[in-house]
Amino acid sequence: MSYVLWALLAMVCYSFAFLFMKIAMQELPAFTVMPIAVITLAVGATTVAALFGDWSAQSLTSRSVPFALLAGLCLTGAMVGYFRALSTGPVSIVVPVFGMFLVGGALLGILVLGEAVTVRKVLGIAFGGVAVILIAT
């Protein structure tokens, strides 16, 4: 499956995840819903890695493991902030503001990873920021 199809699958699943999280938090505290969702994610991700043959104990000795751990810490911060914001604020504002990670990620790709800068990318980043401001205000 191409990366675009994977990205579309991720977008659809993430869109529904926001909805189901908000519904769950109508009766459960945010910090109860979060570990349930994250444990489900961990089990699901491990299952997918095993099914695709991408899981091996040998890979745990790679020099990249610290970066994977840092990514996990960042995801933890993102989820804690997101669940807390979603439990207290409207989905129509929280999700677009949280979605600014797309702009942040694109900028980091350019600044840190040296990805190509094009007029199209600059416009996309700018329009993404403007879109969030328009939706969230």
Side-chain angles (χ1 to χ4, degrees), residues 31-74:
F31 293 146
T32 298
V33 175
M34 183 176 48
I36 293 169
V38 171
I39 289 168
T40 304
L41 166 66
V43 170
T46 303
T47 301
V48 169
L51 289 173
F52 277 81
D54 289 342
W55 180 258
S56 72
Q58 184 180 12
S59 62
L60 295 177
T61 61
S62 167
R63 293 181 321 136
S64 295
V65 169
F67 292 104
L69 292 171
L70 288 171
L73 288 174
C74 290

Side-chain angles (χ1 to χ4, degrees), residues 7-111:
L8 288 171
L9 173 66
M11 181 270 302
V12 169
C13 290
Y14 227 178
S15 295
F16 279 99
F18 298 132
L19 172 69
F20 296 141
M21 287 174 201
K22 186 65 174 182
I23 292 170
M25 285 187 275
Q26 289 175 351
E27 292 185 14
L28 296 171
F31 293 146
T32 298
V33 175
M34 183 176 48
I36 293 169
V38 171
I39 289 168
T40 304
L41 166 66
V43 170
T46 303
T47 301
V48 169
L51 289 173
F52 277 81
D54 289 342
W55 180 258
S56 72
Q58 184 180 12
S59 62
L60 295 177
T61 61
S62 167
R63 293 181 321 136
S64 295
V65 169
F67 292 104
L69 292 171
L70 288 171
L73 288 174
C74 290
L75 285 170
T76 300
M79 287 297 98
V80 167
Y82 173 72
F83 274 83
R84 186 55 147 184
L86 192 60
S87 71
T88 58
V91 174
S92 61
I93 294 175
V94 171
V95 172
V97 171
F98 177 76
M100 282 294 288
F101 76 85
L102 299 170
V103 170
L107 288 172
L108 288 171
I110 291 167
L111 297 173

